[in-house]
Amino acid sequence: MDMTMLKSITVTKKNYTDYADFIIKKLCAPKDNKGLGFIKNVIAWFVLTVVFMTFFQVESIRLSDFHWPSGLIVAVPFLILIIVFLYNNHKLKKQSIPNENGVMIGNKTIEFQADGICETNHLGRYFYKWQAVESIEENKGDLYIFVDKLLALIIPASAFTSEAEKEELKALIKAYI
């Protein structure tokens, strides 16, 4: 197959943040059903603690008998832990957005050739052999061509004039990988 295709694209911060969210979900997805997310784990332990305290504090279980100050003392560290985790996660995500008009975000041209993929922007030219391409995935209309576990070429949905054009590109890439 000796077909080439040339795409001029503009990757925006929104495209990149969608990609980052996709990567986080992909990497953090449990590989089996045994895994629980961090937040789910904290909530489960919190509920277990409250239930344990309730059952062993008094013989007859009534909401009015629950010792609320003790429950609050137990709940506050869990709430602080959850808030700090969410804040740090948001901060890390915000700080990891690449520079505007840099290597990841901005205008670029991607050429699909018989020997690989050539990406050109105002900072340079990057070439990936087809052997480097691990997979192609779609998210919210955007195509991600993974050339590593985390690194992907982002082709925004706006770069395609039709769904048929996107399917043609996916078929071209799948023919090589």
Side-chain angles (χ1 to χ4, degrees):
M1 183 174 230
D2 193 27
M3 247 175 84
T4 62
M5 182 182 284
L6 186 69
K7 295 291 306 165
S8 292
I9 63 171
T10 301
V11 178
T12 63
K13 280 186 180 181
K14 169 90 171 88
N15 297 131
Y16 183 81
T17 55
D18 288 346
Y19 164 71
D21 290 341
F22 178 79
I23 286 294
I24 289 170
K25 287 177 188 169
K26 181 178 176 178
L27 294 177
C28 293
K31 304 296 182 222
D32 54 19
N33 291 334
K34 296 177 188 172
L36 286 177
F38 177 77
I39 299 294
K40 290 179 185 177
N41 202 0
V42 168
I43 291 171
W45 278 104
F46 171 73
V47 169
L48 183 65
T49 303
V50 170
V51 169
F52 182 83
M53 283 181 55
T54 303
F55 282 121
F56 290 104
Q57 188 174 4
V58 292
E59 314 79 47
S60 62
I61 301 169
R62 291 191 308 261
L63 195 57
S64 62
D65 290 339
F66 183 75
H67 192 253
W68 291 103
S70 296
L72 189 61
I73 289 171
V74 171
V76 168
F78 284 105
L79 292 175
I80 290 172
L81 186 62
I82 289 170
I83 290 169
V84 167
F85 174 77
L86 293 174
Y87 172 74
N88 285 336
N89 193 18
H90 175 71
K91 189 173 151 184
L92 178 66
K93 195 172 175 184
K94 195 173 182 181
Q95 290 177 344
S96 67
I97 296 176
N99 294 333
E100 191 75 37
N101 212 15
V103 175
M104 289 292 290
I105 297 177
N107 298 325
K108 54 181 84 178
T109 304
I110 299 180
E111 185 174 5
F112 300 92
Q113 306 165 345
D115 54 346
I117 302 171
C118 184
E119 177 186 32
T120 308
N121 62 31
H122 73 284
L123 295 174
R125 185 179 174 123
Y126 311 96
F127 181 78
Y128 305 97
K129 291 183 179 181
W130 286 114
Q131 292 88 350
V133 178
E134 290 190 7
S135 67
I136 180 170
E137 299 193 34
E138 188 172 347
N139 178 46
K140 297 181 182 179
D142 297 346
L143 285 183
Y144 305 139
I145 304 167
F146 284 90
V147 292
D148 198 351
K149 190 174 187 176
L150 291 176
L151 178 62
L153 303 174
I154 303 169
I155 303 178
S158 60
F160 300 103
T161 56
S162 66
E163 192 65 31
E165 182 184 6
K166 184 189 299 184
E167 292 303 319
E168 180 185 345
L169 177 60
K170 285 166 65 174
L172 172 72
I173 294 168
K174 286 179 182 177
Y176 284 111
I177 61 172

